[in-house]
Amino acid sequence: MQLKVYLFEDLALKSALQPLTQHRTVAELWAGTSTLESKWPTRVSNANQADIQVLSAILPLPSTFQLLDQLPADSSYVYEGRVLAQRGQGTNHLEQHLPFLQHPEDLLAYQAEFLRAEIKGNNPDPGNNTLIAPENIYIHPSAQVQGSILDASKGPIYIGEEVNLQIGTLIQGPAALLTGATTNIGAKIRPNTTIGPGCKVGGEINHCIFFPFSNKAHEGYLGNSIIGSFSNLGALTNGSNLRNDIQTVSLYDYALKEPRNTGLKSLGQIIGDFVTTGVGTNLNTGTVIGSHCNLSSIGFPPRYLPSFSYGEYPSLKLFDFEKAFASACAWMQLKNQEIPENLRQSMEEIWKADTSFRN
């Protein structure tokens, strides 16, 4: 696709994709090996310079590019009353569905497709590792991979720049560990998983997306889940992704302000940015945790926790704002990241917006 693309935001969709969009735009969400916005070949920041304007929630898959290339001049693709893309004035409306995000869990549905499309193997030297189907494995020359087993027979595996796989790491593709990510000894990374830049992970992780600079460094299971940035899941934090009665999973929906049946039988946790959990925390199937929460629990906490929840369940209270701000700064400094000038303002906006969810 050679068209110059301008991505426009739909605020209703951005709201529905919380808590993942509380600190970022829809285009900045992660899937596969990068953010959505970085997958567009030629993107411009001014609509007047664009050949085509595209809803930022549209998923930039090869099939999407083909349809956008076919959009006639002064026409728009419309689906159920929503404009998905338009060229020129877009006055000629064409009913056409394009894949786009409507709910947070939609990112997980497209993980395999993104990973398979984006990873090209470089047939690396195995060294002291076992590489199954090495032609489907990419290992950056600066990565440190020791005593690990990588199985790419069912999907490709990407080991990025300065990634460190400690001994005993097991990875099943498709999977990607991005720049500077680290695994702990004996980590088990199962298919359809992305470990974002600067993350440190261990235990068992299945079909998850970790946004940059988060940790789940120790034992514990996490499946069919998305973890925001600068979050830290303490040792033995476990997340259920399957109901005991094998029924479909409901998930708290920020747009509806009530649980929504996802129709999915496997769905774990959707966790915002700057969330920490204490040792041994257990999270129920289909739990949503807003940003800036500091939690521990003996039993299962509620399946929806608004932003700035603090304490040990059931004695949860509101996180003191200044302490939450200090905690966020400390996590960014720990990960050697510059604290943005607008961090406090962004947190204040989340604080105000989530007031209605706390009552």
Side-chain angles (χ1 to χ4, degrees):
M1 181 180 179
Q2 300 302 319
L3 297 174
K4 290 185 287 187
V5 176
Y6 174 77
L7 300 176
F8 63 90
E9 193 100 310
D10 181 316
L11 293 180
L13 280 177
K14 184 176 187 293
S15 177
L17 291 166
Q18 294 184 85
L20 303 178
T21 51
Q22 288 178 326
H23 271 296
R24 60 180 61 77
T25 65
V26 174
E28 292 170 334
L29 294 171
W30 287 74
T33 61
S34 64
T35 61
L36 298 181
E37 64 183 1
S38 66
K39 301 180 193 298
W40 293 96
T42 308
R43 189 167 55 88
V44 296
S45 57
N46 188 327
N48 295 327
Q49 300 170 346
D51 298 315
I52 187 169
Q53 298 183 51
V54 178
L55 177 67
S56 61
I58 295 290
L59 294 167
L61 297 161
S63 58
T64 303
F65 296 149
Q66 290 179 8
L67 287 168
L68 292 177
D69 280 335
Q70 296 167 10
L71 181 61
D74 289 326
S75 299
S76 57
Y77 285 144
V78 178
Y79 179 70
E80 295 183 344
R82 172 178 276 126
V83 175
L84 303 182
Q86 77 172 57
R87 296 187 69 170
Q89 297 302 312
T91 50
N92 178 30
H93 290 187
L94 305 173
E95 190 73 18
Q96 174 66 56
H97 179 262
L98 300 173
F100 68 102
L101 299 176
Q102 299 183 71
H103 309 296
E105 69 271 19
D106 293 344
L107 284 170
L108 295 171
Y110 290 92
Q111 260 291 83
E113 189 169 354
F114 276 124
L115 289 168
R116 292 179 189 281
E118 294 172 354
I119 302 174
K120 308 300 179 188
N122 63 351
N123 210 5
D125 182 344
N128 60 13
N129 305 284
T130 297
L131 305 183
I132 301 172
E135 67 276 13
N136 296 328
I137 297 174
Y138 174 90
I139 299 180
H140 191 275
S142 65
Q144 300 179 51
V145 183
Q146 298 292 333
S148 298
I149 300 177
L150 280 61
D151 179 2
S153 61
K154 302 290 178 57
I157 294 173
Y158 180 88
I159 307 299
E161 185 176 358
E162 297 184 347
V163 167
N164 181 0
L165 302 188
Q166 296 189 8
I167 59 171
T169 295
L170 308 175
I171 302 177
Q172 294 176 313
L177 287 90
L178 306 179
T179 302
T182 299
T183 63
N184 241 339
I185 293 173
K188 295 178 280 292
I189 310 297
R190 295 173 59 188
N192 306 324
T193 292
T194 294
I195 306 300
C199 292
K200 185 173 185 178
V201 297
E204 183 178 1
I205 298 171
N206 177 36
H207 199 159
C208 290
I209 303 173
F210 276 70
F211 289 8
F213 306 114
S214 284
N215 297 337
K216 179 199 164 299
H218 304 290
E219 294 301 319
Y221 176 77
L222 203 66
N224 303 87
S225 298
I226 304 173
I227 313 301
S229 290
F230 300 104
S231 290
N232 185 74
L233 306 185
L236 300 177
T237 292
N238 283 290
S240 168
N241 65 336
L242 184 69
R243 289 174 48 151
N244 288 344
D245 58 7
I246 321 296
Q247 296 301 302
T248 55
V249 180
S250 294
L251 195 71
Y252 186 83
D253 189 306
Y254 278 80
L256 301 176
K257 295 190 175 183
E258 63 182 17
R260 165 181 48 82
N261 190 334
T262 65
L264 301 173
K265 291 189 174 180
S266 296
L267 186 59
Q269 293 70 45
I270 306 296
I271 297 177
D273 302 300
F274 302 100
V275 173
T276 58
T277 63
V279 172
T281 300
N282 290 317
L283 301 172
N284 215 333
T285 315
T287 294
V288 175
I289 303 177
S291 298
H292 301 283
C293 290
N294 183 329
L295 306 167
S296 59
S297 175
I298 298 174
F300 287 95
R303 293 177 57 232
Y304 169 60
L305 291 161
S307 300
F308 296 96
S309 295
Y310 176 89
E312 180 174 330
Y313 176 77
S315 300
L316 294 175
K317 58 183 180 181
L318 188 61
F319 205 168
D320 178 86
F321 184 88
E322 291 304 325
K323 290 182 178 178
F325 180 72
S327 175
C329 292
W331 278 106
M332 297 194 78
Q333 290 169 336
L334 182 69
K335 293 289 188 177
N336 296 315
Q337 298 302 300
E338 186 174 347
I339 299 169
E341 292 183 0
N342 67 344
L343 177 60
R344 176 180 288 274
Q345 178 184 347
S346 181
M347 289 178 62
E348 288 174 346
E349 290 172 358
I350 297 169
W351 177 283
K352 293 175 183 175
D354 266 27
T355 298
S356 62
F357 297 106
R358 298 189 195 103
N359 300 324

